[in-house]
Amino acid sequence: MRVVVTRPEGQEEELVRSLVALRHDVVSCPLIAVEPLGGEPVDVSGYDWVVVTSVNGARELRRRLRGTPTRVAAIGAATAEAFGGADLVPRVSTQEGLLAELPRPAGRVLFAGAEGARRLLVDELGADFVPLYRTRELRPGSFPEADLVVLASASAARAYGRLGVDTPAVSIGPQTTEAARAAGVEVVREAPTHDVPGLVAAIGSAACSSPS
């Protein structure tokens, strides 16, 4: 099966290696770029919880961190790993899933994430928000022909939808699936876990069900 990976440059290697090991024909075509916002330190002193919701946010916060977090909540095991560990990783890798498992009262909360991130955590917890990076959509001159495209973020889903390509997609999770379908993309599988192993499993399932 020919698979297009759309993750940002430099963040696709693990997924590409995993798919190549399973003998898929893999093409990398980034649809978003990640741009850090500033470089000033982020002081986490005085917060009861620090929340990170993406690998990019976790890496940026770790790079700019000042002080030691009291407790850290991360959406997804890969996000927790990128930060260096977390006290809470919810079973459902969404902001709703985190809210369902976060002890209450949560106290003073800092949410560090992408510019334009969903405001659910901020609104529900009265959290402070610091934008650490932005995502910029890319439009390739041409899109590779393939059997399947991998969408690992809502931003990539929206960028893919704007291309008007009809290759079906595998999505990393519910927010990405929602964004893809809203953009007119056919999503044939959603990853059972919102990480690289989950994407690989979803791609394998799609490959097994496709006509030979």
Side-chain angles (χ1 to χ4, degrees), residues 137-160:
E137 292 184 13
L138 304 176
R139 188 176 183 92
S142 61
F143 195 81
E145 292 188 6
D147 302 297
L148 202 64
V149 60
V150 183
L151 302 174
S153 70
S155 298
R158 289 188 289 268
Y160 179 60

Side-chain angles (χ1 to χ4, degrees), residues 90-159:
R91 290 183 293 273
V92 177
S93 297
T94 62
Q95 291 194 23
E96 290 83 356
L98 191 150
L99 283 171
E101 295 189 36
L102 192 72
R104 306 295 181 91
R108 192 171 177 225
V109 179
L110 176 67
F111 172 22
E115 181 182 69
R118 293 177 66 211
R119 303 283 298 180
L120 180 62
L121 287 170
V122 173
D123 294 341
E124 290 290 323
L125 299 173
D128 292 335
F129 174 66
V130 55
L132 298 178
Y133 68 98
R134 67 166 59 97
T135 56
R136 177 170 54 86
E137 292 184 13
L138 304 176
R139 188 176 183 92
S142 61
F143 195 81
E145 292 188 6
D147 302 297
L148 202 64
V149 60
V150 183
L151 302 174
S153 70
S155 298
R158 289 188 289 268

Side-chain angles (χ1 to χ4, degrees), residues 65-85:
L65 189 70
R66 173 179 289 171
T68 302
T70 302
R71 287 171 294 183
V72 176
I75 293 182
T79 301
E81 182 180 356
F83 187 72

Side-chain angles (χ1 to χ4, degrees), residues 8-9 11 32-36 56-57 60 132-136:
E9 185 176 353
Q11 297 183 22
I32 58 172
V34 177
E35 300 176 344
N56 289 313
E60 274 301 296
L132 298 178
Y133 68 98
R134 67 166 59 97
T135 56
R136 177 170 54 86

Side-chain angles (χ1 to χ4, degrees), residues 26-45:
V26 184
V27 181
S28 181
C29 183
L31 291 182
I32 58 172
V34 177
E35 300 176 344
L37 296 174
E40 64 277 4
V42 178
D43 190 351
V44 299
S45 303

